[in-house]
């Protein structure tokens, strides 16, 4: 919504009321003074004016209150009556890691939001903690949660969604409501993670105990700014899903960020928050980069290794890492990791525009099951060899990924050709 439009909309109402109050009082005064006027004539004007005023207010009410849609963002989660509310059930039983599970919950909440339903999360028996969601987070709904008698009674008849549905095209998680799209574009460089971030931040609200523990850790780590976060994903991720990236590759970007930051303000100590599932990195980092101060908790990374992963301790560990990464000024990571995508999404809720506060060593931002983002070419391109394809300015391209060497790989939608193209010739298209 355009704030100027909203202001004008409210002003039209106020001013039409002011005009009417003025006319009404002045004309009545004329009648009461009984000056040489035609009283009947004035009364007719008043009746006419009163009717016209009502008509203006009615017409005004049909002008849409654009902000209403923003204010209602979460209203479906707390219906007054659980026995009649439209509900949507999601089970937290997906056999994947924390990032992947939280994105599943995000997707469920988005579908519930888009279909005007209350999402009920069934979390008992969660692989990270059998006790369920509330062990670390605040309940998604204060009124209609999984333990509410009305919810238990209706459970058998409620619509459910499993993660496999992500691929059925039922609802694209990266599709923004039209009304928000244009507005977000005004202030944000990448509206989709911004949009996802609003849901993720709401979902991952820590409960009281976790909140206290995060505050204590903030003090213990002496977490302060400026600070860059790195998330180095190792162990099982390297078996088939992602490539190995050395600590040096991350640190090149950390150094670059501090070099630029230092031109603006003197920096006494270069601080790096280290999140990883490989505990050996803490020693490696301290030995190789003695001029940097690495903060974080090696015990978190011990509990994050695949062999000890699905425990309450590791759950609290990964939440801690996501929390502190999201609070950093800049993150260097592999966006192929759901942990980093979560941190990046939450980061969008902490600044007006944090779209460029991440450097990925591999993938561009994506959401599991989301349609590939469309990019638009801003220059013509003539293929230089058979690996490339040609296009004209204004063409649409599916960007499969940036190779971080000046070139990206993608598909030219009009011709169906796939291949490489210079990254600078296309830009994200919202
Ligand atoms: P992905 O496999 O990296 O895409 O992310 P997932 O969250 O889906 O699964 C990886 C799991 O490994 C997480 O849920 C954590 O339990 C653990 N893990 C991976 N990287 C980190 C990290 O940087 N910090 C912590 N604490 N845990 C991690």
């Amino acid at each position: 919504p355009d704030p100027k439009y909203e202001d004008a909309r409210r002003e039209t109402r106020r001013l039409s009321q002011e005009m009417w109050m003025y006319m009404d009082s002045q004309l009545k005064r004329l009648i009461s003074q009984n000056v040489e006027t035609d009283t009947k004539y004035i009364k007719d004007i008043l009746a006419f004016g009163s009717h016209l005023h009502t008509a203006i207010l009615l017409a005004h009410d049909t002008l849409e209150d654009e902000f209403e849609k923003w204010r209602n963002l979460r209203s479906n989660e707390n219906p007054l009556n659980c026995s009649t509310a439209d509900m949507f059930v999601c089970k937290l039983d997906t056999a994947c890691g924390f990032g992947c599970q939280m994105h599943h919950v995000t997707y469920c909440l988005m579908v519930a939001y888009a279909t005007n339903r209350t999402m009920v999360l069934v979390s008992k028996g969660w692989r990270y903690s059998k006790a369920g969601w509330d062990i670390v987070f605040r309940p998604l709904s204060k009124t209609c949660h999984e333990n509410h008698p009305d919810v238990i009674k209706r459970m058998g008849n409620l619509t459910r969604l499993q993660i496999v549905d992500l691929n059925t095209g039922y609802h694209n998680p990266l599709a923004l409501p039209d009304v928000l799209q244009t507005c977000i574009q005004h202030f944000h460089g990448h509206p989709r993670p911004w949009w996802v971030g609003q849901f993720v931040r709401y979902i991952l609200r820590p409960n009281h105990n976790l909140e206290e523990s995060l505050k204590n850790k903030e003090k213990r780590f002496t977490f302060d700014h400026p600070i860059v976060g790195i998330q180095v994903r190792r162990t099982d991720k390297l078996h088939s899903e992602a490539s190995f990236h050395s600590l040096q590759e991350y640190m090149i970007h950390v150094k670059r960020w501090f070099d630029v930051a230092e031109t603006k303000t003197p920096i006494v100590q270069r601080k790096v928050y280290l999140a990883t599932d490989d505990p050996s990195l803490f020693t490696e980092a301290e030995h190789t980069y003695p001029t940097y101060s690495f903060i974080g908790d090696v015990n978190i990374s011990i509990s994050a290794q695949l062999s000890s992963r699905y425990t309450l301790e590791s759950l609290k560990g990964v939440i801690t890492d996501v929390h502190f990464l999201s609070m950093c000024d800049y993150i260097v990571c592999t966006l192929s990791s759901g942990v980093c995508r979560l941190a990046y999404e939450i980061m969008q809720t902490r600044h007006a525009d944090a779209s460029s506060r991440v450097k990925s060593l591999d993938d561009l931002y994506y959401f599991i099951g989301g349609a590939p983002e469309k990019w638009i070419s801003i220059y013509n391109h003539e293929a230089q060899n058979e690996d490339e394809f040609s296009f004209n300015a204004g063409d649409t391209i599916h960007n499969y990924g940036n190779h971080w060497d000046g070139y990206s790989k993608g598909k030219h939608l009009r011709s169906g050709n796939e291949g490489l193209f210079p990254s600078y010739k296309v830009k994200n298209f919202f």
Side-chain angles (χ1 to χ4, degrees):
D2 180 350
K4 280 203 205 116
Y5 166 88
E6 288 299 320
D7 191 48
R9 187 180 61 77
R10 283 188 291 266
E11 279 299 273
T12 54
R13 184 179 189 91
R14 189 178 71 85
L15 296 176
S16 79
Q17 263 166 331
E18 289 296 336
M19 185 196 69
W20 173 241
M21 284 187 294
Y22 173 78
M23 269 183 59
D24 186 56
S25 83
Q26 293 298 317
L27 292 174
K28 281 180 180 153
R29 213 166 83 194
L30 272 184
I31 296 175
S32 68
Q33 286 167 356
N34 209 8
V35 280
E36 289 163 22
T37 44
D38 181 345
T39 317
K40 157 110 184 33
Y41 176 61
I42 298 177
K43 281 186 178 162
D44 284 349
I45 296 177
L46 279 171
F48 187 96
S50 165
H51 192 239
L52 182 57
H53 179 226
T54 310
I56 293 172
L57 290 184
L58 274 175
H60 177 272
D61 284 348
T62 61
L63 278 179
E64 223 170 339
D65 178 351
E66 292 285 305
F67 281 103
E68 196 63 38
K69 298 190 174 88
W70 289 59
R71 287 194 287 269
N72 284 339
L73 199 59
R74 286 181 202 151
S75 64
N76 293 338
E77 273 317 283
N78 293 307
L80 292 177
N81 189 345
C82 240
S83 62
T84 52
D86 284 338
M87 290 190 204
F88 189 68
V89 178
C90 289
K91 243 182 145 186
L92 195 54
D93 59 357
T94 324
C96 61
F98 177 75
C100 157
Q101 291 186 346
M102 292 310 103
H103 283 125
H104 179 206
V105 177
T106 305
Y107 177 62
C108 287
L109 187 58
M110 284 175 161
V111 175
Y113 173 68
T115 56
N116 276 327
R117 293 193 183 130
T118 303
M119 174 190 157
V120 175
L121 185 68
V122 177
S123 69
K124 294 276 176 293
W126 188 14
R127 74 189 300 193
Y128 276 101
S129 164
K130 298 279 171 249
W133 186 258
D134 302 359
I135 195 97
V136 279
F137 295 122
R138 287 202 246 162
L140 291 180
S141 169
K142 281 188 223 152
T143 53
C144 291
H145 45 77
E146 63 186 305
N147 301 322
H148 193 288
D150 285 343
V151 175
I152 295 169
K153 220 184 297 163
R154 295 176 58 195
M155 196 57 89
N157 304 320
L158 298 170
T159 315
R160 280 158 195 268
L161 184 81
Q162 295 295 328
I163 198 160
V164 287
D165 296 329
L166 280 169
N167 298 321
T168 62
Y170 175 57
H171 184 84
N172 178 8
L174 290 178
L176 272 85
D178 283 348
V179 65
L180 298 183
Q181 174 128 346
T182 346
C183 168
I184 300 166
Q185 250 172 276
H186 283 305
F187 68 87
H188 201 276
H190 202 170
R192 290 186 182 94
W194 180 92
W195 171 240
V196 175
Q198 306 307 308
F199 288 85
V200 171
R201 180 87 187 259
Y202 175 72
I203 290 166
L204 301 190
R205 286 166 310 149
N207 67 14
H208 178 71
N209 288 345
L210 181 63
E211 202 165 354
E212 287 303 305
S213 140
L214 291 173
K215 276 188 204 149
N216 290 338
K217 285 195 177 112
E218 192 168 338
K219 277 194 211 128
R220 184 157 61 80
F221 292 155
T222 53
F223 186 97
D224 49 19
H225 298 273
I227 187 164
V228 174
I230 61 175
Q231 192 238 343
V232 186
R233 180 72 165 97
R234 294 275 165 84
T235 69
D236 58 313
K237 193 75 175 180
L238 306 185
H239 296 162
S240 58
E241 284 184 41
S243 313
F244 175 90
H245 292 277
S246 68
L247 181 62
Q248 281 71 10
E249 290 176 71
Y250 292 80
M251 291 304 288
I252 289 170
H253 301 285
V254 173
K255 178 179 180 303
R256 198 171 290 158
W257 188 88
F258 276 114
D259 286 348
V260 174
E262 227 160 29
T263 62
K264 296 178 218 159
T265 31
I267 294 169
V268 182
Q269 177 65 64
R270 293 186 168 200
K271 266 194 182 178
V272 177
Y273 183 87
L274 174 57
T276 179
D277 55 340
D278 177 356
S280 74
L281 273 160
F282 278 86
T283 337
E284 184 185 336
E286 277 151 22
H287 276 114
T288 326
Y289 297 94
T291 55
Y292 286 80
S293 157
F294 289 90
I295 63 167
D297 187 343
V298 69
N299 291 320
I300 290 183
S301 62
I302 293 170
S303 71
Q305 294 174 102
L306 183 61
S307 53
S308 49
R309 189 169 292 170
Y310 296 108
T311 58
L312 181 56
E313 201 195 339
S314 124
L315 173 65
K316 288 181 180 166
V318 68
I319 296 169
T320 304
D321 277 349
V322 167
H323 172 76
F324 286 108
L325 285 170
S326 78
M327 301 234 294
C328 288
D329 298 300
Y330 190 65
I331 309 175
V332 185
C333 68
T334 46
L335 277 177
S336 60
S337 170
V339 173
C340 191
R341 290 200 306 280
L342 273 184
Y344 178 59
E345 287 153 358
I346 297 173
M347 188 188 229
Q348 305 314 307
T349 68
R350 302 197 190 280
H351 308 265
D353 183 356
S355 58
S356 55
R357 286 179 185 253
V358 69
K359 169 64 199 162
S360 173
L361 300 181
D362 60 7
D363 294 348
L364 296 167
Y365 174 79
Y366 68 94
F367 193 97
I368 311 170
E373 286 199 288
K374 285 181 187 154
W375 288 54
I376 190 159
S377 45
I378 45 178
Y379 297 105
N380 294 337
H381 180 64
E382 196 67 44
Q384 300 298 301
N385 55 53
E386 60 194 23
D387 291 341
E388 297 183 13
F389 59 83
S390 304
F391 51 79
N392 296 326
D395 286 354
T396 310
I397 283 160
H398 271 173
N399 196 342
Y400 295 158
N402 194 318
H403 288 185
W404 310 118
D405 59 358
Y407 282 84
S408 292
K409 190 167 182 182
K411 180 176 182 176
H412 185 226
L413 286 198
R414 190 158 44 80
S415 65
N417 293 334
E418 289 182 316
L420 297 173
F421 57 89
S423 308
Y424 81 93
K425 290 193 172 179
V426 302
K427 75 189 277 268
N428 205 327
F429 169 67
F430 308 116

